[in-house]
Amino acid sequence: MHLRKYSYCLQRMGRETTSFSVLVVVMLLLVSCSATKYVPEGRYLLDDVSIRTDNRSVRSSDLQVYLRQKPNSKWFSIFNTQLYIYDWSGRDSTKWINRALRRLGSAPVIYSEHDAERTRQEMTKAVQNMGYMRAKVEQTVQTRKKKLKLTYRVSTGKPYHLKSISYDIPDENIRQLLHTDSTSTRLRKGMVMDINVLDAERQRITTFLQQRGYYKFNKEYITYEADTVRNTYEVDLTMHLSLYRRNVREEWRPHTQYVVDRVNYITEYDALQGGDNEEERLLVDDSIHYKQSAIYFKKKLYLSPKTLTNNNRIEQGALYNVSDVQRTYNNFGRLGALKYTNIRFFEHEADSTLLTAYVMLTRAKHNSVSFGLEGTNSAGDLGAAASVSYTSRNLFKRAESLMLRLRGSYEAISSKQSGYKHENYKELGAEATLNFPRFVFPFLSNDFKRHIRAVTEFGLQYNYQLRPEFSRIVASAGWSYRWGDTRYQRSQHRFDLIDVNYLYMPWIDETFKNTYLDRDQNYILKYNYEDRFIVRMGYSYTYNSLGSNLLKHSPTRNSYSIRFNAESAGSLLYGLAKVFKMGKNAEGEHTLFNIPFAQYFRADVDWVKNFVIDERNSLVLHADAGIAIPFGNASVVPFEKRYFSGGANSVRGWSVRNLGPGTFSGDGNFLNQSGDIKLDFNIEYRTKLFWKLRGAVFVDAGNIWTIRDYDDQSGGLFKIDTFYKQIAVAYGLGLRLDLDFFILRFDGGMKAINPAFESGKERYPIVNPKFSRDFAFHFAVGYPF
C-alpha cells in the first residue's frame, strides 16, 4: 500500500512538471549506456579504489593523497554521468557532436599496474614514516567483465618508540640557546618515532635560531641518526646540528649571529623590469634621510617617511629576527598604495656580522574609477542597478583610502495595486568611505597606536527610496575598526564604535496611509513607517579555518567557519534622556530633536562545516541562530534589524519573507512576517557536474518567532515547549554556474513540513506534494552559506 502511494505521488509530480520527467528519462538513458565502451581489450576500467587499515591511528583518508589513480568522478558520489556522456560519443572524431560529448564527459580511467605499484610503495613509505617501520601494504584486485576494483590493505605492525634522545651540537652558543628552550621541544622519550614530528622539530629549531640572529641558518644543518635496539621496537635517536661553511673548500666554523645595522627604503622598485639586471629595477633619482634610514625615490616621495618607519618592524641595532621580517611584509601588504613588497639583506664588507636591510616597494595605481551593472531580485521583483565608484588609495600620503560611490536602481513591482501614484521601485544612493591603515583615536601615544594593527574606517551614506506606497531617506554616519590575523588570515574582528542612522519618511501615499496606517491598529506597521534615530555600537567576529586558502575554489580539506555578531542601540541616548529629562511623544517614547530613537539588543551566530568527500563532491552543514530584544525606549525592534525566514539563503521551500513567525500563515503584509528569534539548519550536498556547472541537493529547516505576543502575528510567540513543532522543513535541487569571479545560483525548493497547519495533508506536503502550492524558485548570486 505504501509503495503504491509513493508511486502515485511521483506520477502526480511528473504530470505537473515536464522537466522532472525529462530528467528521469535522461538519467535512465545514461545508466543504460555501457561504461566500458572505450576500454581496450585486455584492459580494465578502474571502477573503485579503497584503502583498509588495521590501525585506527592510521586513517585511510590521510593516505588518499598517495593514490596515483582514482576512478571516474561521480555526480553526488552515485551517478557516473560524465563517463556515460563520454561513451555516448561515436568513434568518428571528425563529427562535432562526438567532439562535444567527449568535452562534456570524461574518458574512462584505465587501470595501470605501474601506477598501482607506485602507489603501494609511496603508501608503504608514508606509513613507515609515521613510526611503523615494519608496515606493509598489499594490493588486491577484483575483476568483473571489464571493470576492476582495487583495494590497498595496510598492515601497520607495532610502532617504534624513542628509548633515548641525545644531541650532538658542536656550536657552543647554539647549544646554550637550545638548552634554555628545551621545554618547547617536540621530542619526548617514549614517543612514537614519527618522521613528520622529527621534521617539524627541525623547522621549529630553525625558526627559533632565525629569530635570534642566525640569518643564514636553515634546517639542512640538522640531521638525525637512529639506532634500533635488536629484537625490540625501541630506537636510540641522536640529533646532529652541524657547523657552518659556505662551500666544501672552507673549514667548518660556528654559525654567525647577525645584527641589522640599518634599514633603508627604496620606494620605486619594479620587479618586472630589467630582467636579471637588479640596477635597472631601481627607478630612483633622489633620496632623503629619516631616523637613521635612507629613503630612495623618484622625483617625488609618494609615502611619508613616518608611514614607512611605522610599518617597519625590523629593529636597527638588534639581532636579525625572521618574525620581524614577516611582520614587516604583513604591514606593508596592508597598504593599498603598494602593489608588491620585497625585503633584501646585504652583509657589510667591513664587518661580516652586520646586515643592511632594504625594503623595496612597488607602488600601486593610486586612483581608479569603476563602473558596475547588476541584476536585482527582491522577493521576485526583478530590476537592474548601476553604480560608479572613485577610489583614491593614497589620499594624504599615508596610504589612506577614499572611496566615493553613486548607485541607482530600478525594480518593476509585480504585485501592483490601484490607487498609487508611483508604480515601481526606484533607489538612489551616495556613499563616502575613508579608511586609515592604522589605529586612529585621540589622546593616545604614537607608540601605542603603532603596535595596534587595525584599520580605522569613517563612513557617510545617503539612500533615497521611492516605492508606490511611500518614499524614505536613510542617512548614516559611522566610525569603526577592523583588524585580524595577518599571518594565517583566519580570523577577522570589527568593532563599530558608533553608527548613527536617521530614518526619515518625507512622503506616504494617502491610499496606503488610509488603508493600513490610520485604520489598522498594527503597532509593528506604524512603528516602521515613522521617523526614527538608530544610534548603535557593535562587535563582530569571523573565523574561517581555511584562512589564506579561502580564495581557492576547490579546497582539498575539511573546513569550518564561525561568525558572531552582537550590537546594542539606544542605551546611551536612553541614559541621557533619563538624566536630562528629555521629552516624550504620544507613544511614550523619549525623543531627540522631536524624533524617537530605537533601543534594542541583537546577537546572532552562524556556523558552517564543509566536508570534502573528493575533488568533485562535498557535504556542507549550516546552522544559525539569532535573537533581537527591544527594551527601554522601544517595544519593537526596527524592521531592518528583525529576522525573516524563507528565501534563497534560508528555508528554500518558501519565498523570501514568506515563512513564520511560528504558525502565522501571513496576511499579505510582509512586515508581519518578521520576528525577534531565528533558527536555521541546512544540509547541502554539492557536486561538480561539467564545464562550469555545479549541482546540489539540500534539506532546509527553520523558522522565526516573536518574543512578545503581538495581535497581528497570531501564533508567532516563541514558547519553549512548542517551538520545535513549528520548525518548517523543505527539500530541493540546485544548479550553480561558477564563473570564477562570481557564482549564479538557481535553487528550487519544495515544502516538506508546513507549520502554518496543525495537521492533515497541508501540514505534511511531502506526503502529498503539489507543485503549484509547494514549490519556490530562487535566483541568487553566491552560495547560500
Side-chain angles (χ1 to χ4, degrees), residues 148-198:
L148 181 144
K149 292 185 178 181
L150 176 60
T151 303
Y152 293 97
R153 300 185 184 277
V154 181
S155 301
T156 62
K158 293 182 179 181
Y160 280 72
H161 295 83
L162 297 186
K163 179 184 177 183
S164 65
I165 305 172
S166 58
Y167 298 89
D168 173 29
I169 306 175
D171 191 312
E172 179 65 25
N173 194 26
I174 290 181
R175 183 166 64 251
Q176 292 180 2
L177 281 173
L178 295 182
H179 180 73
T180 61
D181 190 53
S182 59
T183 57
S184 301
T185 181
R186 297 173 182 266
L187 305 183
R188 298 285 188 272
K189 291 182 180 180
M191 64 172 280
V192 174
M193 201 192 78
D194 191 331
I195 301 300
N196 301 303
V197 176
L198 300 186

Side-chain angles (χ1 to χ4, degrees), residues 74 350 540:
K74 299 178 181 180
S540 63

